[in-house]
Each structure stands twice: as C-alpha cells, then as structure tokens.
C-alpha cells in the first residue's frame, strides 16, 4: 500500500473525530464517573463481560483512547496507562476529564498505526472502539505486537462481524438478512456516516493475529441483558443484540 493511501483514512478519521469531539464529552464524563468498567454500545458490566480477567497492572497503552475513560478504569485497577489518540479534540476532552476527576496519565497525539514507542515497552494494550475499528488491522495489529512485551496481552472490542454483515444501508437498524459479503471484508464506509472503519471476518482476523505472534485466549461475544437499554445508537436494537452478538472482544496474548 502506498504511503499516501495509508494516510488517507487516518486523516479523514482525524477530521471526523475533531469535529465530533464535543458531542462525546458528556458520555466520556459519565464513563469516567463509573468505578468499574462498562463496555461498548450496551454498557455491559465487566462482571458479565470478563474482558479484564488477565489484567494485573503494569504499563498499559490504550489505542484510540478518545476521552480516556478506559485508561482511567485501568489506572484505578493499578495500571500505568498511556492514552494514544489521533484527534487533538478528543485528547483535549480527555485532559479536561483528567482535571475534573483529578486522575492524570500521559496522553499522546499519535496514529495507532505508527506508534512513537520503543519495541516491547508495554505489558497490556487495549482498544474499545478505537484502533479496533478505526485503524487498518494490517497496520495497527503489527504495531500493537511490536510495542507489547512477550507475554503481554491485547484486548480489543468493536462491532461484531455478524453485525457488520447485517446493518442496513439505509440508516435503519441491523436486519435479519445478510446485506453484504463476508468474503474480503476489510475497509468499510457508510453512505450516511463519514469516516472509514475496518472490520474483518473471523478467519482473516485469526490469520492476522497469529501472523503477528499472538495466541488467541478468548473471543467474547457480548449479549446485553434486558436491563442494558443504554444504547445511544440507531444501528442495532436490543432485541437483535440479544439474539446475535452485536459486539465482540478479542483477548490475545503475545507469545
Ligand atoms: C469511539 S472513540 C473510542 C474511544 C473511547 N472508548 C470512547 O468511546 O471515547 C474512537 C477514537 O479512536 C480515535 N482514532 C481514530 N483513528 C485513530 C488512529 N489512527 N490512531 C489513534 N486513534 C484513532 C478517534 O480519534 C477517537 O477518539
């Protein structure tokens, strides 16, 4: 891939997130205020999702940290987080929230596909809808592998492959039909939504993770309970998400 093509989606997504940053501030503040982690679009509690069972502190990198609440949770659990984000607007919100909650950790303006950190400098890497969906997996997964020490864990959460096949093209919620091919799934753009996302089939994801020295410890398919109605997004209903996983988390370990 030419450098120019590689940069194009990074710049487009930076502009998008700079423009949207103020809309995400209140959601960020709510998440910062939570003592324990609640994940994704349905705010599934960590007690159910169990994404952090392998976390035991150490140096953490959050890839696409946005308002920084995941790093805040991991700091409260004894980690030493560094939040990385491509958007200065999002990092400015994260800084305001650090001051509001009096909890400070480094925030770095960088592209998660080209991290400004030495090899093997982190014990744990995490992304909740950051690099996990906004970065090219062929770029960010090798970078995550590079900066993790052997034995380090990577946990990332995003929309499930099933959901990406079923969301409709017309702004409505996910349907019960397959609306696009699985084969070749990678870069995705939506008519009604700016920005460039990346989603892979499970087979392609497993090949990529293994090629970069990761062993897969778990693939968690997340289902919300009826109480989890905290969904601000129109692309999936609670009823759909209780039958198919709308979100999935990969828990992998660098060999
Ligand atoms: C939905 S937010 C996820 C962060 C956090 N969990 C939240 O919801 O606030 C997506 C974040 O990914 C960031 N992002 C997009 N592309 C990126 C890239 N190439 N490198 C680093 N961060 C990126 C965006 O700037 C945005 O802050």
């Amino acid at each position: 891939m030419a450098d120019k093509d590689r940069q194009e989606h990074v710049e487009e997504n930076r502009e998008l997130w700079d423009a949207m940053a103020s809309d995400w501030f209140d959601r960020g503040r709510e998440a910062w205020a939570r003592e324990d982690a609640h994940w994704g679009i349905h705010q599934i509690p960590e007690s159910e999702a169990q994404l952090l069972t392998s976390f035991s502190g150490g140096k953490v990198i959050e890839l696409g940290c946005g308002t920084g609440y995941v790093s805040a949770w991991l700091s409260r659990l004894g980690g030493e987080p560094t939040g990385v984000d491509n958007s200065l607007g999002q990092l400015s919100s994260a800084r305001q929230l650090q001051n509001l909650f009096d909890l400070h950790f480094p925030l770095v303006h960088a592209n998660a596909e080209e991290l400004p950190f030495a090899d093997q400098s982190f014990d744990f890497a995490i992304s909740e809808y950051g690099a996990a969906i906004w970065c090219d997996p062929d770029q960010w997964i090798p970078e995550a592998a590079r900066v993790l020490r052997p034995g380090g864990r990577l946990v990332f959460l995003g929309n499930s492959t099933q959901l990406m096949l079923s969301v409709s093209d017309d702004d409505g919620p996910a349907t019960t039909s397959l609306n696009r091919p699985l084969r070749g799934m990678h870069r995705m753009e939506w008519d009604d939504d700016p920005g460039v996302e990346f989603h892979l089939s499970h087979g392609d994801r497993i090949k990529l993770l293994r090629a970069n020295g990761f062993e897969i410890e778990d693939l968690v398919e997340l289902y919300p309970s009826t109480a989890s109605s905290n969904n601000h997004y129109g692309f999936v209903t609670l009823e759909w998400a209780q039958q198919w996983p709308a979100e999935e988390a990969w828990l992998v370990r660098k060999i």
Side-chain angles (χ1 to χ4, degrees):
M1 193 191 296
D3 278 355
K4 186 174 153 290
D5 297 337
R6 191 183 297 162
Q7 288 306 321
E8 183 246 22
H9 69 268
V10 175
E11 279 162 27
E12 195 173 327
N13 288 339
R14 180 184 300 137
E15 278 169 28
L16 172 70
W17 280 99
D18 278 340
M20 292 199 301
S22 58
D23 301 340
W24 287 74
F25 186 84
D26 287 346
R27 240 174 271 176
R29 184 171 47 199
E30 276 172 35
W32 266 79
R34 286 188 183 279
E35 278 307 310
D36 53 338
H38 282 64
W39 301 107
I41 57 183
H42 290 103
Q43 294 289 286
I44 298 177
E46 171 61 15
S47 57
E48 288 172 31
Q50 305 268 296
L51 306 190
L52 297 178
T53 47
S54 69
F55 181 67
S56 57
K59 288 189 181 296
V60 176
I61 182 167
E62 186 181 358
L63 301 164
C65 65
T67 51
Y69 55 82
V70 173
S71 288
W73 296 333
L74 293 180
S75 172
R76 292 181 191 131
L77 289 173
E80 292 173 56
T82 295
V84 173
D85 204 281
N86 185 33
S87 155
L88 282 173
Q90 287 280 79
L91 290 175
S92 162
S93 297
R95 250 175 232 111
Q96 289 177 58
L97 290 164
Q98 288 191 333
N99 291 335
L100 195 61
F101 288 88
D102 195 21
L103 199 171
H104 298 266
F105 44 82
L107 293 167
V108 177
H109 184 220
N111 170 13
E113 299 179 10
E114 291 176 285
L115 292 169
F117 301 105
D119 296 358
Q120 303 189 12
S121 40
F122 293 94
D123 302 296
F124 194 85
I126 191 159
S127 175
E128 186 211 32
Y129 285 95
I133 69 162
W134 296 100
C135 289
D136 185 342
D138 293 334
Q139 307 300 324
W140 82 265
I141 287 180
E143 272 298 82
R146 184 183 67 74
V147 301
L148 273 177
R149 66 162 170 81
R153 257 75 180 212
L154 166 65
V155 171
F156 59 99
L157 166 70
N159 309 114
S160 73
T161 303
Q162 284 95 331
L163 182 67
M164 289 300 102
L165 295 176
S166 302
V167 281
S168 64
D169 279 320
D170 64 4
D171 210 15
T175 69
T176 54
S177 306
L178 298 171
N179 296 324
R180 56 197 55 80
L182 177 66
R183 190 175 189 177
M185 185 190 264
H186 187 249
R187 178 184 165 120
M188 295 181 83
E189 288 170 86
W190 309 99
D191 289 344
D192 52 331
D193 242 343
V196 181
E197 297 175 22
F198 294 87
H199 301 278
L200 296 183
S201 73
H202 288 171
D204 287 349
R205 178 85 70 190
I206 289 166
K207 276 194 199 75
L208 182 62
L209 287 165
R210 286 168 55 90
N212 284 286
F214 286 112
E215 65 177 3
I216 293 153
E217 295 190 308
D218 209 347
L219 167 57
V220 179
E221 296 168 324
L222 291 161
Y223 292 98
S225 66
T226 308
S228 301
S229 54
N230 194 6
N231 175 5
H232 306 277
Y233 308 89
F235 54 80
V236 63
T237 63
L238 184 60
E239 189 191 10
W240 193 102
Q242 287 180 325
Q243 297 178 79
W244 300 274
E247 305 179 271
E248 64 193 32
W250 292 81
L251 279 53
V252 304
R253 178 179 171 275
K254 185 174 163 187
I255 298 165

